[in-house]
Amino acid sequence: MITLGEPRLIVLITCYDLGRHLGCYGVTSVATPHLDALAADGFRFERAFSVAPQCSPSRAALATGRFPHANGVMGLAHGTYGWELHSEEQHVAELLSAHGFESHLFGLQHVTSDPQRLGFDRIHGAGSGREVAEEVARWCSQGGAGPRSYVEINLFEPHRPYDHGGVRPDESRGVHVPPYMPDDDGSRREMSALQGAFMEADRAIGRIVGALDDGGLLDDALIVFTVDHGIAMPRAKCTLYDPGIEIALIMRWPGGGIGPAISAELVSNVDVAPTLLEITHIHAPEVLQGRSFLALLENRDYEPRAAVYAEKTWHSYYDPMRAIRTQRYKLIATSSRLLQWRSRQTSRRGPCSASPPNAIQGTALPRSSFMTSSLTPSKP
């Protein structure tokens, strides 16, 4: 059994719209040597899922440890969409800062219209992945890390447009067209452009990891790499099918005994914040809805998740749907079925007090009020 201490530096790196399209997840046409190396040295989760198939709701859950319907961000946070964290919500940066961590934000954020409310001690610049990586490298070379630091780095790539910053398509290892897309010229053009954006994100991450190494910080750093949701293709992003909510999740901390290992347990990105709090010996607020998987990282007795949950309420329009996924089964309910369940429950037992019926006889789907208690009638 490994007992972990406390990392002096936590580095959380995220990308947009990547899903699990990496070499270390078996996609051989994608050239991602830096992330593959991180996975080889780290703890890689084979069955990590997002709570939402859209950017802001997923990122808000990652940051707060609470589901979108609870934290307020049920749709996009930018522009006229205007979804916002509830006033009482606490970003993990704020929680860590309150316990002595100096917190830094590099790159974009997509959970609020007011970044100052998130609790970061310093907000650095945004830009392309290359530009953000260079700023992180300067920070490392100038001794920016304090005795205890939390650093969040959010890269734009591989979000559309895939040629952002002059990125070129990549077909150097062929082109992988997912089985849920037609294997035609149009799909291949799209996927080769996306593969070029994957390479660009990987280069930026390689620069960041190299800068940490050059600054003597790498082995003392807990590095967490993850993404918000699946790729921006049909039957993926903005759907609750597995390609819409499957995510890469890799953690590396050799100084604390994390990695190399691979886990097939179900985990959710809502579990990341509780895990970071436990690993830093900070008591998690009772309102957190995720659950720490630190025991899994430590190779201690761990009670596996019975299921992960996902939701979509609003992207460009109101489109409520909910999902429960176990190791073996998946249930997706769209608006008409959800409203039918809620009506039945309200008339029989009071508002949202009962669980939806299992859709398939004999399945091991857990009985949960998530499917109906997370509903909201419209955008506020």
Side-chain angles (χ1 to χ4, degrees):
M1 182 182 72
I2 300 170
T3 301
L4 302 181
E6 179 184 298
R8 63 164 290 202
L9 173 62
I10 300 171
V11 181
L12 173 65
I13 306 172
T14 76
C15 288
Y16 273 100
D17 297 16
L18 190 147
R20 297 191 194 128
H21 282 250
L22 298 171
C24 58
Y25 281 94
V27 184
T28 58
S29 66
V30 175
T32 52
H34 301 293
L35 280 167
D36 294 349
L38 189 71
D41 288 343
F43 196 109
R44 180 169 66 83
F45 293 85
E46 289 188 324
R47 292 189 176 96
F49 291 90
S50 168
V51 302
Q54 327 103 283
C55 308
S56 297
S58 171
R59 290 173 177 273
L62 176 71
T64 64
R66 286 164 51 78
F67 283 91
H69 68 269
N71 66 39
V73 184
M74 290 186 287
L76 297 173
H78 67 275
T80 58
Y81 299 106
W83 289 90
E84 186 61 73
L85 289 167
H86 292 317
S87 59
E88 68 274 13
E89 294 298 321
Q90 290 183 291
H91 193 288
V92 69
E94 180 181 356
L95 293 169
L96 290 169
S97 291
H99 289 84
F101 280 80
E102 186 178 86
S103 56
H104 296 260
L105 173 64
F106 290 88
L108 54 85
Q109 65 77 34
H110 201 180
V111 299
T112 179
S113 60
D114 179 17
Q116 298 298 327
R117 64 157 296 182
L118 298 179
F120 287 96
D121 295 307
R122 184 175 175 190
I123 297 177
H124 302 258
S128 69
R130 273 177 271 182
E131 292 166 336
V132 170
E134 287 304 319
E135 186 157 2
V136 173
R138 284 192 295 272
W139 178 82
C140 290
S141 67
Q142 295 166 1
R148 302 168 86 205
S149 298
Y150 169 73
V151 179
E152 184 172 311
I153 306 166
N154 300 314
L155 304 178
F156 177 81
E157 294 84 0
H159 198 285
R160 293 177 184 271
Y162 300 137
D163 60 356
H164 176 69
V167 174
R168 304 292 300 169
D170 174 58
E171 300 181 9
S172 60
R173 300 185 181 183
V175 178
H176 170 70
V177 177
Y180 48 85
M181 293 174 60
D183 192 352
D184 57 22
D185 289 344
S187 294
R188 288 183 167 273
R189 283 194 300 271
E190 282 286 299
M191 291 306 300
S192 65
L194 181 55
Q195 289 183 175
F198 291 155
M199 284 183 62
E200 184 70 5
D202 186 73
R203 291 190 194 101
I205 291 165
R207 177 69 173 119
I208 291 165
V209 173
L212 292 169
D213 195 15
D214 293 342
L217 300 169
L218 186 58
D219 287 343
D220 290 331
L222 167 61
I223 298 178
V224 182
F225 170 76
T226 194
V227 306
D228 46 11
H229 48 68
I231 62 174
M233 295 292 173
R235 292 184 65 86
K237 180 178 179 178
C238 288
T239 79
L240 295 181
Y241 301 123
D242 274 13
I245 59 173
E246 63 185 18
I247 58 172
L249 178 59
I250 300 165
M251 300 180 73
R252 179 191 186 274
W253 182 29
I258 294 181
I262 299 172
S263 173
E265 295 290 354
L266 290 170
V267 296
S268 170
N269 68 342
V270 78
D271 300 333
V272 172
T275 303
L276 294 182
L277 294 176
E278 186 176 5
I279 209 169
T280 51
H281 310 295
I282 296 171
H283 178 71
E286 296 296 328
V287 295
L288 265 59
Q289 296 167 319
R291 46 172 295 195
S292 172
F293 49 75
L294 179 58
L296 182 59
L297 295 171
E298 290 183 325
N299 197 28
R300 293 188 283 111
D301 289 340
Y302 172 74
E303 182 180 351
R305 265 187 172 275
V308 292
Y309 304 88
E311 61 183 88
K312 177 188 175 185
T313 301
W314 193 293
H315 193 65
S316 54
Y317 56 91
Y318 184 56
D319 185 23
M321 58 184 73
R322 302 292 184 262
I324 300 176
R325 189 197 192 281
T326 70
Q327 289 280 18
R328 186 175 179 185
Y329 298 105
K330 177 90 171 266
L331 172 64
I332 299 174
T334 54
S335 56
S336 59
R337 177 56 62 87
L338 290 167
L339 293 171
Q340 178 185 359
W341 280 341
R342 186 165 67 173
S343 175
R344 183 185 304 130
Q345 292 164 14
T346 301
S347 63
R348 292 182 181 178
R349 296 192 181 183
C352 303
S353 61
S355 301
N358 289 339
I360 306 171
Q361 281 292 338
T363 69
L365 287 168
R367 299 185 68 80
S368 169
S369 63
F370 171 81
M371 302 291 271
T372 51
S373 64
S374 61
L375 282 176
T376 188
S378 63
K379 182 179 176 182

